[in-house]
């Protein structure tokens, strides 16, 4: 009888110690944001810096549900960028239309999957596409340069 109790106790301890215990891990990774620079295709001038566009006329709309997506406009030292950090906090598909001054500039299509692995929560992007515009991606800083024809 003592052997059966001892075996049950050892099995109980083994089972619960082998389960993932995430209490001692602080592992949360926010989704990576998207940063865009809008430049004239011919001159390569930033269209906010040269005042072709105004930052207060930017609109970012998720066409999937017609909701407005939050974005930041970064304007420091003549570096003018649109930054979207609202995508990927949950599993979702987004078709974001970026417009400036009522002009459709490009679509950002993202299939984001929020997942947990080894006690860590993070976003996996299954697909990222830019449509209706030529662009270049700088792999070093992650900035998409959108080439706008005027």
């Amino acid at each position: 009888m003592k052997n059966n109790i001892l075996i049950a106790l050892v099995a109980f301890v083994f089972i619960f110690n082998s389960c993932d215990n995430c209490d001692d891990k602080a592992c949360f990774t926010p989704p990576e944001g998207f940063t865009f620079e809008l430049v004239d295709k011919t001159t390569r001038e930033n269209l906010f810096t040269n005042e072709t566009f105004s930052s207060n006329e930017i609109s970012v709309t998720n066409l999937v549900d017609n909701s407005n997506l939050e974005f930041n406009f970064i304007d420091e030292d003549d570096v003018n960028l649109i930054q979207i950090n609202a995508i990927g906090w949950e599993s979702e598909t987004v078709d974001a239309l970026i417009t400036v001054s009522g002009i459709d500039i490009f679509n950002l299509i993202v299939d984001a999957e929020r997942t947990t692995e080894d006690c860590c929560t993070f976003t996996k992007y299954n697909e990222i596409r830019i449509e209706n515009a030529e662009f270049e991606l700088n792999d070093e800083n992650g900035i998409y340069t959108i080439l706008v024809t005027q």
Side-chain angles (χ1 to χ4, degrees), residues 71-133:
F71 67 92
N72 297 314
F73 186 76
I74 301 168
D75 59 344
E76 297 176 6
D77 300 324
D78 289 333
V79 175
N80 294 286
L81 304 170
I82 300 170
Q83 189 173 58
I84 302 172
N85 294 317
I87 298 172
W89 289 96
E90 60 187 35
S91 294
E92 63 184 334
T93 301
V94 173
D95 180 356
L97 173 62
I98 290 75
T99 62
V100 182
S101 303
I103 301 167
D104 295 350
I105 305 297
F106 68 97
N107 289 73
L108 171 66
I109 291 89
V110 179
D111 177 12
E113 180 182 347
R114 195 73 180 158
T115 188
T116 301
E117 190 174 295
D118 295 328
C119 300
C120 296
T121 303
F122 59 95
T123 300
K124 181 173 91 174
Y125 291 115
N126 297 317
E127 179 179 35
I128 300 172
R129 281 190 343 256
I130 293 178
E131 294 183 348
N132 303 318

Side-chain angles (χ1 to χ4, degrees), residues 48 52-61 97-106:
F48 294 100
T52 299
F53 290 149
S54 173
S55 62
N56 63 359
E57 295 179 334
I58 301 170
S59 173
V60 181
T61 306
L97 173 62
I98 290 75
T99 62
V100 182
S101 303
I103 301 167
D104 295 350
I105 305 297
F106 68 97

